[in-house]
Amino acid sequence: MASEAPRPEDTKRVITEAYPSKAARKRAKQIVVNAPPDTEGFRPQILSNTRTTPGVITQRGCSYAGCKGVILGPVRDILTITHGPVGCGFYSWLTRRNQTRPPSEDAPNYMPYALMTDMQENDIVFGGEKKLRKAIREAYEIFRPKAIAIAATCPVGLIGDDIHAVARDMKEELGINVFAFSCEGYKGVSQSAGHHIANNGIFQHVVGTQDEPPEGRFRINLLGEYNIGGDAFEIERILERCGITLVSTFSGNASYDQFARAHMADLNAVMCHRSINYMAEMTEEKYGIPWIKVNFIGAEATAKSLRKIAQYFGVPELIDGVERVIAEEMPAVRAVIDEIRPRTGGKTAMLFVGGSRAHHYQELFREIGMRTVAAGYEFGHRDDYEGRKVLPFIKVDADSRNIEELDVEPDPEQYRPRKTADELEALRAQGLDFGEYEGLMADMEVGSLVIDDITHHETERLIELYRPDVFCAGIKEKYVIQKHGIPMKQLHNYDYHGPYAGFRGAIRFYREIDRMVNTRIWRHVTPPWAEKPQPEVLRQAS
Amino acid sequence: MLLRHTHKEIRDRSALTTNPAKTCQPVGALYAALGVHRCLPHSHGSQGCCAYHRSMLTRHTKEPVMAATSSFTEGASVFGGMANLTQAIENIFALYDPDVVAVHTTCLSEVIGDDIPQIVKSATDAGKIPEGKTVIHANTPSFVGSHITGFANMTKALVEYFAEPGTVPADRINVIPGFVEPADMAELKHLAAEMGVESLLFPDTSGVLDAPMTGRHEFYPEGGVRVEDLRTVGGSRATLALGAWASAPAAEALEKKAQVPFEVLDTPIGLLATDRFVDALRRVGKVEVTASVTRERGRLVDLLADMSQYFYGKKVALVGDPDPLIPLTEFCLTLDMKPVHVVTGTPGKRFEERVRGLLGEAGVEGNVAQASDMFHFHQLIKNEPVDLIIGNTYCKYIARDEGIPLVRHGFPVLDRVGHQFFPTVGYRGAMRLAEKILDAFLDRIDREPDEAAFELVL
C-alpha cells in the first residue's frame, strides 16, 4: 500500500489547491512533511493553535467542551452546573469516556447527572446570576455535595454574569467549596483553552487544601489521563502491582479529596502533555514536585514509563518490583503480538485525534507492525509537535492571551523540593529527563505527513490518495471514513470498547485492530456485478 | 445505583434543570437542513456548537453529518460575526459547492445580535454567492424552545425562502413530517404513494441520513427535497403538517405566503393516528383508500389482537418530544396500557391539554408535564412504578436502576443501531413498535428465575 502512495509533497499540493488563496496559504503552513532535526535540533515548524478558518469543516470543539467535558467530566464528586441555555449541558452529558468507580454504593457520583440553569430569554435580557444562585441552592438541597463547580457557556460571558462572585457568595452561604470556570465556548481556538481554564481553576481552588499525607512510599500523581474506556483502571492495577501509590489522577476516576491532596505526591507523571503541562509546571513551582513525561499506551511504552518512575525513586525494592511486574505481564502481550502480527504487519494507519493520542497510539500500531503514514492533532500547540524546545519561540496571539496564566510562586509552607539539584542532575545524567517532551514529530517517520487541525476536505483527499488500512479519529469523522470502505477507530471514546492503556489494554487494542482490518464486510462493499461484463449467453440447463 | 442521588421526595425546583428532556434549537435546525438535497447546514457561532450537534446527530443516525461553522473566537464575539460568516460563505462555496447554505444562529450570535439577512445581502452584493446558489437562515437561539422548535424554524425558513405563490397548480399534497427518523420519512412517502397521492415531503432526510455504502462518501447523497420542488410547494393543493410543534409553523407560513390550505395532524404513530393520516390523504387527495393500505392496516390490527393479552393494564411511563409523545400515548391506550407518566422537556401548555384529554377519555389517571426534565420523570416513577419506559437513550439509567424494561424511541437514540432504517410511523411502523414493546415484556418473563413456570410457548 505504502509503495503506491503518492509523494507527501504532492499530497500537500493536491489537498491545499482547492482552498481560496487566503485559506490555502494558511493551510500550507499547517501541513508539514516530517524531516530530520536540523543541526540545532529543531524540527520543521508547524502552524498550530491558530483559529480555524470559518466555513471549513473542522474536527474541533470549544473551550466549554474542554473544561466541562474533558477535564471535569471524569471527576465523580464535584457537582458541576452548566450556566447557560440547555444545549451545552445536554451535550456534555456523556459517561463512556468518563468512567469512574466510587468506593462504595452510597459514595457520591454525579457523573450520570447533567445539571444546568437552562437559561431562558428573560435570563439573557435581565441577567442570569439570580437563577444561578437559586440553581446552586436547589442542587445543594438535593445532592449535598462537598464541592460545586460552575461552567460558563457562550452567552454568560457576553451578558456579563459574574459567576465568580456568585461562587464566592455561595461558598460562604453553603459552607462548601464553590468555584467557577469562565470557559465560554468562544475562548481560545479549540478545546485546549478549556483544559487550561479547568486546570487553573482546580489548581487555585482545590489542590493543596488537605494536608493528610497518603500512605505508601512511592507516591505519584498521574496527569493528563482521563480514564477513557477504563484506561485509568488498568494503569491503577499496574501501579498497585508495582507498589507505587497513586495519590491522584488528573482527572480520570478522580475525586475531590484526591485533588486536594495532590501536593503530597513526590512525582508528577504526565500522559497528555497538551492538556495539562501547565499543571505540572505550576505544581513544581509551588510545591517542588518534579515531572516526567510518561506514556501508558503501548506495552513497551508502559514498561518504559514504569522504569522511569522506578529510576526516579531509585530504591532497589521498587526497581526490582517494576521489573518483576513487567516480566510477568509481557509474555501474554508478546503471545498476542506473535499471533496477530502476520495479519497486521505492513498495514498502514492514520491518526487525527486529540492532543496526545495521535502520538501515543502510534506506539501500539508499531508493536503490531503497522506504520502511521499521517497524523496530527485536533488541538495541539507547536510544542506538542516539535517538542518543548520551541516554547521560547511560540508567539502569544490574541486568542491565547485571554486564557489566564497563573503567577505561581513557591508556597511558603507547602513547598518542599523532592530532590536536590545534585540529585536531579545525577538522574539527568542517567538519562531521566525532567520537564521534557520531544513531541510527535520526533517519533514519526521522515516523510510522513503531519497535519494540524485537519479539515474534512483534507481527510477525504488523504483517504482517496492513500487508502490506509485503518483511520483513527472521532465520531464526526467515523462514518465519512467508513463510507469509503475503510474501518475507522474512534480514539475519543474507543467505540465503546477499551481500555487500551497498559499491558492488558495493549492486548485489547491489538485484537481490536486485528478485527477491524480483517472484518469481512469491508470486502463486500463493491457488489459482485460492478466490475464484471454482462455474460453473453446464459448457461444452458443440462 | 447509577442515579443514586434521585430520591422519591419531589422538591420544588424553579432554577435547576437536571437531566433535561430536550436540547437546543440549532441541532433541530441542522437536522431539518440536512433534509434538503445539496444543502450544507451552517452554524453561526463558536465551533463547539457545531461539533456537539454533528456528534449528537452522528451518534444518533450512524451516518456522516456534514455542517460548517463560523468558528467564532473572542474577537467575533466582540465585533460581531459578519467577517466570519462572509469568509465562511466564500470558503463553503469554494470547497463544498452546495446549492443551499442553511445558516442557523446560536445563543452566541443571537446575543450579539448578528443580522443574518443583512450579512448575506452584503455577501451577495460583493459577489461571494455564486449564481443560482442560495443562503437561507433561521433564528434559533438556544434560550428559546428546544430542538423541536429549531426544527420547526428551519422548516419554516424553507417555505419563506423558496416557496413561490401560485406556481404550477398541482394535485400534489405537501407533507411536513416533523422531527422523525429518515425511515419514517420514507414510510410517509410510501403510504402516500400506495394511496395514489402525489406527495412532496419537506424536509426529507431519507436518502441522506440512511445513505448506502458504496465505497465512496457522497458529500451530498441522493436524498433530500430538491430546491426546484421547494420552489413549487406554493402550488400544491394542500399541506398536511404532521405534529403541531415541529410542522405547523411552516404550514402556517405557506398558507400566508401562497394560500395553500393546511391541516395539522398528529405524527402518524400507532393505529389511530395513522388512520387519521390515511383518511386525510383520502379526503385532501380526493382518492379512495386502496386495498393495499387497508390490508396493511388489517395486518396491524391482526397482530395487535394476537398480542393484546400481554398489554392489558400495563403501566407505562413516556418521555420525549411532544409531537411523537401524543400519538405514542394514544397508541399505549389503544393497546389497553396505562400511560401514567408523560413528560416532555419542550415547553407548550397545549401538550398537557392534549395528553390529559387522551387520558381522560380512557379513564386513566396520570401525571403529565411539559417543560420538565428527566429527574422529575424518574421521581414520578419512583413514586408510582411502571412496567415499561418509552423514551430516548438517556432513560437507560432509570431503566437499569429501577429494573424496568425500556423501549427506545425518540431523539437521541445513541446505544442501539438500526432505528434509522426501521420506521415507527404508519401501520408498518406500528407493527414494529408493538413488537418491540411486547419483546421487552416477554424477554423479561423469560429472564425471571421461576424455572417451574418457564414456558416454551408464551
Side-chain angles (χ1 to χ4, degrees):
Chain A
M1 189 84 26
S3 59
E4 301 157 20
R7 292 187 335 123
E9 291 79 7
D10 294 337
T11 306
K12 180 174 170 174
R13 183 177 44 74
V14 168
I15 63 182
T16 49
E17 67 191 6
Y19 291 101
S21 56
K22 191 177 159 197
R25 277 197 302 278
K26 186 170 171 190
R27 288 307 299 160
K29 293 182 196 157
Q30 293 176 278
I31 303 171
V32 166
V33 180
N34 199 25
D38 64 16
T39 49
E40 289 172 50
F42 289 102
R43 300 267 165 187
Q45 189 174 324
I46 188 164
L47 183 68
S48 58
N49 191 36
T50 185
R51 294 176 188 185
T52 304
T53 305
V56 163
I57 297 177
T58 170
Q59 294 186 331
R60 281 176 167 177
C62 68
S63 175
Y64 167 83
C67 176
K68 163 67 172 72
V70 176
I71 307 290
L72 293 171
V75 189
R76 64 174 163 265
D77 58 357
I78 295 177
L79 190 75
T80 305
I81 300 175
T82 297
H83 185 37
V86 64
C88 307
F90 181 91
Y91 303 118
S92 62
W93 185 17
L94 293 167
T95 50
R96 178 67 203 187
R97 55 166 293 146
N98 301 328
Q99 295 185 26
T100 199
R101 275 188 188 143
S104 66
E105 272 285 304
D106 54 356
N109 178 14
Y110 309 125
M111 274 175 12
Y113 291 90
L115 293 98
M116 62 206 68
T117 51
D118 187 7
M119 291 172 92
Q120 298 297 302
E121 199 153 19
N122 264 342
D123 308 315
I124 299 292
V125 175
F126 300 108
E129 287 179 25
K130 208 171 137 193
K131 190 170 194 183
L132 177 61
R133 279 170 208 272
K134 197 147 192 281
I136 292 170
R137 284 188 197 108
E138 289 175 356
Y140 181 74
E141 283 303 310
I142 294 167
F143 296 94
R144 300 276 168 180
K146 63 175 70 171
I148 293 178
I150 303 158
T153 67
C154 286
V156 170
L158 285 189
I159 65 174
D161 277 357
D162 189 346
I163 55 173
H164 302 281
V166 172
R168 277 195 300 276
D169 293 352
M170 297 314 290
K171 184 176 181 173
E172 197 170 313
E173 181 183 320
L174 302 174
I176 60 164
N177 201 353
V178 185
F179 42 90
F181 298 92
S182 289
C183 56
E184 291 87 347
Y186 56 76
K187 292 265 180 77
V189 299
S190 72
Q191 296 94 309
S192 176
H195 306 151
H196 204 150
I197 291 162
N199 284 317
N200 282 353
I202 295 290
F203 187 79
Q204 283 175 296
H205 296 286
V206 189
V207 173
T209 55
Q210 293 179 20
D211 275 336
E212 309 90 272
E215 289 175 8
R217 282 174 69 192
F218 312 113
R219 298 184 297 220
I220 69 163
N221 296 317
L222 193 59
L223 270 56
E225 160 51 49
Y226 303 103
N227 200 23
I228 296 173
D231 278 350
F233 300 147
E234 166 68 358
I235 300 172
E236 286 165 14
R237 181 188 73 84
I238 294 169
L239 293 177
E240 197 179 324
R241 285 205 68 197
C242 293
I244 297 164
T245 301
L246 190 59
V247 179
S248 79
T249 302
F250 287 81
S251 50
N253 193 27
S255 73
Y256 180 84
D257 290 346
Q258 288 169 4
F259 288 164
R261 285 199 283 267
H263 64 300
M264 308 302 287
D266 293 319
L267 176 69
N268 277 340
V270 174
M271 283 275 286
C272 175
H273 173 263
R274 176 66 270 136
S275 61
I276 205 156
N277 68 80
Y278 24 80
M279 179 75 104
E281 294 282 318
M282 293 189 298
T283 315
E284 184 162 14
E285 287 277 322
K286 188 168 178 181
Y287 302 109
I289 308 173
W291 68 271
I292 57 169
K293 174 80 177 70
V294 295
N295 174 20
F296 287 101
I297 302 294
E300 292 296 341
T302 300
K304 195 173 157 192
S305 298
L306 291 173
R307 288 187 175 117
K308 280 165 87 170
I309 295 169
Q311 190 185 1
Y312 170 79
F313 287 103
V315 176
E317 179 191 330
L318 178 62
I319 294 168
D320 294 347
V322 161
E323 290 305 330
R324 196 169 51 246
V325 169
I326 295 169
E328 283 170 13
E329 299 269 349
M330 280 307 263
V333 175
R334 292 210 182 94
V336 178
I337 291 179
D338 290 345
E339 181 203 327
I340 280 169
R341 225 181 141 105
R343 296 192 293 266
T344 51
K347 294 195 186 296
T348 57
M350 289 185 175
L351 295 97
F352 290 95
V353 56
S356 73
R357 291 172 179 267
H359 181 184
H360 291 164
Y361 275 80
Q362 295 188 31
E363 181 88 13
L364 276 170
F365 282 116
R366 215 172 281 135
E367 288 172 354
I368 49 172
M370 289 178 65
R371 291 173 52 236
T372 303
V373 291
Y377 295 135
E378 198 175 342
F379 47 80
H381 300 198
R382 272 187 66 198
D383 45 323
D384 302 301
Y385 291 100
E386 303 169 47
R388 291 177 66 87
K389 205 174 174 149
V390 301
L391 279 174
F393 308 104
I394 296 178
K395 287 192 196 112
V396 178
D397 62 15
D399 293 315
S400 309
R401 199 166 285 126
N402 52 42
I403 313 302
E404 188 187 16
E405 287 287 344
L406 300 184
D407 205 7
V408 179
E409 287 175 358
D411 187 281
E413 280 154 27
Q414 294 172 311
Y415 182 80
R416 183 168 57 85
R418 295 332 197 250
K419 299 270 181 193
T420 64
D422 287 350
E423 284 170 334
L424 289 174
E425 202 43 56
L427 284 167
R428 272 197 196 97
Q430 290 171 26
L432 185 63
D433 282 331
F434 290 96
E436 194 48 73
Y437 174 53
E438 284 199 343
L440 165 105
M441 285 171 168
D443 265 354
M444 284 188 74
E445 283 181 25
V446 168
S448 53
L449 274 168
V450 183
I451 306 178
D452 181 64
D453 184 20
I454 193 170
T455 70
H456 167 82
H457 158 77
E458 293 158 11
T459 304
E460 294 237 40
R461 296 295 88 76
L462 278 183
I463 292 288
E464 288 161 0
L465 292 167
Y466 287 78
R467 303 289 303 174
D469 295 293
V470 68
F471 195 102
C472 302
I475 186 69
K476 300 191 295 295
E477 296 77 42
K478 183 177 177 75
Y479 299 98
V480 172
I481 309 298
Q482 295 197 162
K483 288 285 191 222
H484 285 284
I486 288 171
M488 148 65 217
K489 180 71 196 167
Q490 282 191 72
L491 288 184
H492 293 288
N493 70 8
Y494 298 166
D495 281 305
Y496 318 100
H497 198 252
Y500 298 141
F503 301 109
R504 292 181 184 170
I507 290 172
R508 205 172 279 117
F509 190 78
Y510 306 152
R511 293 213 178 279
E512 174 73 344
I513 295 303
D514 178 31
R515 175 191 73 75
M516 291 188 82
V517 298
N518 290 302
T519 294
R520 285 195 168 76
I521 194 62
W522 305 117
R523 301 172 207 167
H524 304 301
V525 171
T526 308
W529 52 83
E531 282 153 17
K532 289 181 191 158
Q534 191 73 6
E536 284 172 20
V537 187
L538 289 172
R539 193 153 56 93
Q540 301 292 319
S542 53
Chain B
M1 297 292 270
L2 285 158
L3 299 170
R4 59 188 71 181
H5 304 281
T6 308
H7 300 296
K8 245 176 136 171
E9 184 203 352
I10 299 178
R11 291 167 178 271
D12 275 346
R13 280 180 292 129
S14 61
L16 182 74
T17 292
T18 305
N19 297 358
K22 65 168 179 180
T23 182
C24 65
Q25 288 210 70
V27 77
L30 202 165
Y31 182 65
L34 288 169
V36 177
H37 185 59
R38 293 191 62 82
C39 171
L40 185 68
H42 181 84
S43 167
H44 187 52
S46 49
Q47 67 210 7
C49 306
C50 189
Y52 272 142
H53 302 149
R54 288 179 62 212
S55 292
M56 190 53 77
L57 285 167
T58 303
R59 287 194 181 102
H60 177 76
T61 61
K62 277 78 179 162
E63 286 291 317
V65 173
M66 292 293 119
T69 160
S70 291
S71 290
F72 277 26
T73 58
E74 200 152 53
S77 311
V78 175
F79 300 113
M82 180 161 176
N84 288 54
L85 185 53
T86 310
Q87 200 189 344
I89 286 170
E90 200 174 351
N91 285 322
I92 284 169
F93 284 116
L95 280 175
Y96 311 115
D97 187 35
D99 288 348
V100 182
V101 176
V103 180
H104 58 262
T105 56
T106 60
C107 32
L108 178 54
S109 54
E110 283 286 333
V111 172
I112 296 169
D114 275 349
D115 183 346
I116 308 295
Q118 187 54 44
I119 298 172
V120 172
K121 188 178 177 301
S122 303
T124 310
D125 294 346
K128 291 186 189 297
I129 300 174
E131 194 70 28
K133 310 280 185 175
T134 319
V135 180
I136 69 170
H137 95 289
N139 290 96
T140 50
S142 314
F143 42 81
V144 174
S146 74
H147 58 295
I148 297 303
T149 33
F151 182 96
N153 284 336
M154 185 53 82
T155 306
K156 187 177 163 196
L158 297 181
V159 168
E160 285 168 344
Y161 274 93
F162 293 114
E164 291 162 12
T167 45
V168 202
D171 288 338
R172 198 181 53 194
I173 311 269
N174 301 321
V175 177
I176 308 180
F179 198 135
V180 292
E181 302 268 358
D184 293 325
M185 306 217 188
E187 185 66 13
L188 295 171
K189 289 193 286 193
H190 155 76
L191 271 175
E194 205 63 33
M195 298 268 292
V197 173
E198 194 191 332
S199 69
L200 181 73
L201 208 72
F202 72 91
D204 180 5
T205 57
S206 67
V208 180
L209 289 166
D210 55 1
M213 185 175 284
T214 58
R216 196 185 144 75
H217 170 236
E218 298 293 335
F219 195 91
Y220 302 110
E222 270 305 300
V225 61
R226 312 260 153 174
V227 169
E228 59 266 31
D229 288 331
L230 277 173
R231 294 196 197 283
T232 67
V233 293
S236 293
R237 177 185 292 166
T239 302
L240 298 181
L242 308 184
W245 274 260
S247 303
E252 285 159 13
L254 186 58
E255 188 195 43
K256 201 170 161 195
K257 190 171 182 185
Q259 293 77 50
V260 180
F262 68 93
E263 277 187 35
V264 180
L265 301 167
D266 291 322
T267 310
I269 293 173
L271 177 66
L272 304 184
T274 304
D275 281 350
R276 292 194 292 275
F277 176 60
V278 167
D279 196 50
L281 285 172
R282 177 182 71 95
R283 283 184 289 105
V284 180
K286 300 190 194 327
V287 293
E288 292 301 319
V289 177
T290 56
S292 63
V293 171
T294 306
R295 272 199 300 276
E296 279 187 28
R297 183 184 192 278
R299 281 189 206 103
L300 170 63
V301 177
D302 186 69
L303 178 81
L304 298 184
D306 293 345
M307 292 174 162
S308 62
Q309 65 159 317
Y310 301 103
F311 294 135
Y312 196 88
K314 288 280 193 292
K315 287 185 180 176
V316 192
L318 302 109
V319 64
D321 301 329
D323 291 331
L325 267 190
I326 290 166
L328 271 173
T329 303
E330 186 186 51
F331 189 41
C332 289
L333 290 167
T334 308
L335 301 178
D336 299 305
M337 299 199 290
K338 292 181 175 171
V340 291
H341 313 300
V342 188
V343 170
T344 187
T346 295
K349 291 261 182 334
R350 284 169 304 157
F351 173 80
E352 291 186 358
E353 287 162 22
R354 266 308 298 284
V355 177
R356 278 189 216 289
L358 289 167
L359 296 182
E361 280 168 35
V364 174
E365 278 188 31
N367 300 298
V368 187
Q370 51 89 30
S372 185
D373 58 25
M374 284 176 53
F375 187 84
H376 179 65
F377 179 68
H378 189 179
Q379 289 186 309
L380 292 175
I381 291 171
K382 279 194 179 287
N383 282 284
E384 184 177 358
V386 294
D387 302 298
L388 176 75
I389 298 170
I390 302 179
N392 70 21
T393 284
Y394 285 96
C395 293
K396 74 191 286 180
Y397 296 91
I398 304 171
R400 181 178 155 123
D401 275 3
E402 307 297 333
I404 301 169
L406 165 66
V407 168
R408 287 160 177 81
H409 190 273
F411 178 79
V413 173
L414 310 171
D415 62 337
R416 290 294 184 272
V417 183
H419 52 91
Q420 72 272 37
F421 295 123
F422 304 115
T424 59
V425 303
Y427 298 121
R428 300 193 301 198
M431 289 177 83
R432 178 163 183 267
L433 203 48
E435 187 201 15
K436 282 173 80 90
I437 295 171
L438 183 59
D439 281 357
F441 288 143
L442 296 187
D443 282 347
R444 179 168 210 190
I445 292 171
D446 279 342
R447 274 200 312 272
E448 278 175 0
D450 186 355
E451 292 185 6
F454 190 75
E455 278 289 350
L456 179 70
V457 181
L458 280 166

